[in-house]
Amino acid sequence: MKWTDAQFRYRGNTRYFTQGSIRPTVAAGLVRISKPGPNDVFYDPFCGSGTIPEERALFPARKILASDYKREVIWTAEQNCEGIAIVFQSDARQTPSRSESIDCIVTNPPWNRQIAVEDLRHLYAAFLAEAKRILKPNGKLWVLTDCHEELTMAARENGLYRNAVCELSLHGLHLKVYEIRKTSP
């Protein structure tokens, strides 16, 4: 499956990257799969260098939010998303967002490859609990990961419905994009 045209591969000379950054082509595909709406409050709680919010800004939105827990990563996202997203430092497991205030979350959480995580299953479970809290009743969460078992267990633990919508191969990894909802589709 080809998600984007060749023009998406390069976004000019001013793009900054951090460890674990995803390609703009992959971020653009994730945003397109999420079916962006002009009234959406959009959020990426593992924003890294801000690639996903930057791609989301190509579509109309009510508000685009982006956060990460590392201060030095936030600086990079701020540079890449200047004027297009509200970027702030926050732990994805406990955000400052109000309950049921977010329409759509699209994110690329750590896979325990480039960014080591002590207990990946616990991170996913705590993140999904927070996502459940901040998503509106019909809100959707889109996650790119190769940690299929951890995500499945975390969704089940939080009473969320998980559906793999597509697969892709990236640097020898077999990733899936999951749609996660509070209610059954």
Side-chain angles (χ1 to χ4, degrees), residues 14 16 20 26 35 47 59 76-78 85 88 99 117 146 161 174 185:
T14 58
Y16 298 98
V26 176
K35 299 177 183 138
C47 75
F59 300 90
T76 304
E78 287 171 338
F88 56 97
S99 295
V117 176
D146 80 335
Y161 297 90
H174 300 287

Side-chain angles (χ1 to χ4, degrees), residues 85-107:
I86 299 167
V87 180
F88 56 97
Q89 186 173 2
S90 177
D91 187 324
R93 299 170 292 187
Q94 189 173 1
T95 72
S97 298
R98 290 185 335 269
S99 295
E100 298 186 350
S101 63
I102 305 294
D103 295 292
C104 183
I105 298 172
V106 177
T107 197

Side-chain angles (χ1 to χ4, degrees), residues 24-97:
T25 52
V26 176
L30 289 170
V31 168
R32 286 181 180 186
I33 285 173
S34 75
K35 299 177 183 138
N39 295 316
D40 286 349
V41 175
F42 177 91
Y43 184 32
D44 179 0
F46 293 98
C47 75
S49 65
T51 311
I52 293 172
E54 188 176 17
E55 293 299 324
R56 177 57 179 89
L58 296 173
F59 300 90
R62 185 164 18 129
K63 190 183 297 185
I64 300 173
L65 305 169
S67 69
D68 207 291
Y69 77 102
K70 286 188 172 180
R71 182 71 225 154
E72 63 274 12
V73 172
I74 290 300
W75 179 89
T76 304
E78 287 171 338
Q79 302 310 303
N80 290 330
C81 296
E82 187 175 3
I84 62 171
I86 299 167
V87 180
F88 56 97
Q89 186 173 2
S90 177
D91 187 324
R93 299 170 292 187
Q94 189 173 1
T95 72
S97 298

